[in-house]
Amino acid sequence: MFRFPLRDVHMASSSKISNKPFDIDQLNKLVRTFKAEMFHSLLFVNNVREISLCEISEVSGQPFDEYKVTATLSPEDEKSLEEFAGYVKETSRILRKGSVSLEDVEKREVSYVVSLEDNQGKKQRFLVVQRCGFERDAEVPFCVNSAVTKQELGLLPRGGVATLLDSPSNTDKKAFCFLPLPFTTGLPVHVNGHFALDHEARRNLWRSESEGDHRGAWNTMLLKSVVAPCYVTLLSEMRQHLGIQDTDAVIGRNEALQQTKQYLQLFPNLHNREQYWDELAKEVYRYIGNKEVPLLPVHRPVEDESASEKKEKDEQASRVKIEWFASKEEGGRELFFNDLSTVTAEQFKKDDASTKKPANSVSFTSHRTSLYSDREAVLLTDTLLRSGLNLAEAPLNLFNQKIRCRCSMR
């Protein structure tokens, strides 16, 4: 139940709370703003499963649901989320008591699928990953530990991410502090965190005012050591939801390409003007590289003699197995990015004549003709894959993103 400060000019003049009038028009504007955010408001909350916006009928005098949103989880996911909520509550208690430090909080992660539906027919399913607790090797800044000890910072190391499952959306995703904040991140997933917010409207993330500012340091720590690992878990689990995780499964090339494209669109871009989100994107790539998480696909062609004639007519009709690689594996398999469709004849001539090794820098200018046609690039790629070379089925811009984050790649 919300209590709104309705007051006319006369009431405002004598009010001890505020001398500003607040009329019905302003209240209706506030309600419309809340209604626009309601659908996604249940994504990261633990115990609320329904939100209703009610009006009182002028005819009957009875309340009715003007707008309603419900969240539904499977019994298994409901139990997992309930256990996670219990752990968060206990963590909050022992941190307030001073029984443990931030570094000693055991990390706990939960992932689940939530279906959101409103009373106007809109329905969407989301994969949500939440975590409480920093990475074990995380270094908590001194200013943050000091603020916690002095009880100047009462936030929990808790955050998460969410992505739409049913149909990918290109719309910018929101930031959340459990409920939606009024800005987007430029990332392909929704981001939640127990952030330090500005002290005025509490509608934006806190901006560091000095080098030792504990609120800004907390937000950065939360994104790097809580949200970034959740992001990597989401990428890993999305493969199963898209049907491309099983390395023994044989699927059509077109289906593999379509599902892989949708999967790769979830990787973050590094062209974000906002420092917080740019740092999060970089940390995702660093985490994948440092932990050697096998998230990059290789489409290995499968020989099918019965389909050989058809394959000659239509290379895209062939079938593949999807194998998963880390960007770099110490003492293990090597992964290479495929630039056959972009290397130009001019570049090839400039390469070392003895090795014919492709140049490190690839031009993306459209007025230069590629050395290979699309079909030739596919045929040559398949030949290299069949010979055992591991060529990632991923765009070169992903390679460039990892290079910018100083992740070792080939």
Side-chain angles (χ1 to χ4, degrees), residues 14 37 88 91 96 105 122 124 142 154 171 201 203 262 297 304-305 333 337 341 353 357 366 389 398 400-401 408:
S14 60
E37 298 178 346
V88 170
T91 299
R96 286 199 309 270
V105 173
K122 183 178 179 180
Q124 293 180 341
F142 173 79
T171 58
R203 300 287 279 171
Q262 183 176 339
D304 188 350
E305 294 181 1
R333 306 170 301 175
F337 272 71
S341 62
K357 183 179 179 181
S366 59
L389 193 66
L398 189 58
N400 294 328
Q401 308 258 40
S408 179

Side-chain angles (χ1 to χ4, degrees), residues 237-303:
E237 295 197 2
M238 270 301 293
R239 299 175 302 170
Q240 179 179 351
H241 289 281
L242 291 170
I244 55 176
Q245 185 174 27
D246 186 359
T247 56
D248 293 325
V250 178
I251 60 177
R253 185 193 296 266
N254 280 336
E255 180 184 355
L257 289 172
Q258 182 180 358
Q259 299 298 74
T260 298
K261 180 181 179 181
Q262 183 176 339
Y263 163 73
L264 292 172
Q265 287 174 344
L266 292 174
F267 281 74
N269 291 319
L270 296 181
H271 304 290
N272 204 310
R273 296 179 181 178
E274 168 54 55
Q275 182 179 352
Y276 278 133
W277 312 125
D278 189 60
E279 189 57 43
L280 170 60
K282 291 177 181 177
E283 189 61 30
V284 168
Y285 288 114
R286 293 191 197 108
Y287 189 94
I288 292 172
N290 293 339
K291 301 293 183 180
E292 297 185 7
V293 187
L295 293 179
L296 294 173
V298 169
H299 290 187
R300 190 81 63 188
V302 175
E303 295 294 343

Side-chain angles (χ1 to χ4, degrees), residues 171-175 183-189 231 267-272 274 277:
T171 58
D172 283 342
K173 304 305 185 292
K174 287 180 172 291
F183 55 86
T184 57
T185 64
L187 297 168
V189 300
Y231 202 136
F267 281 74
N269 291 319
L270 296 181
H271 304 290
N272 204 310
E274 168 54 55
W277 312 125

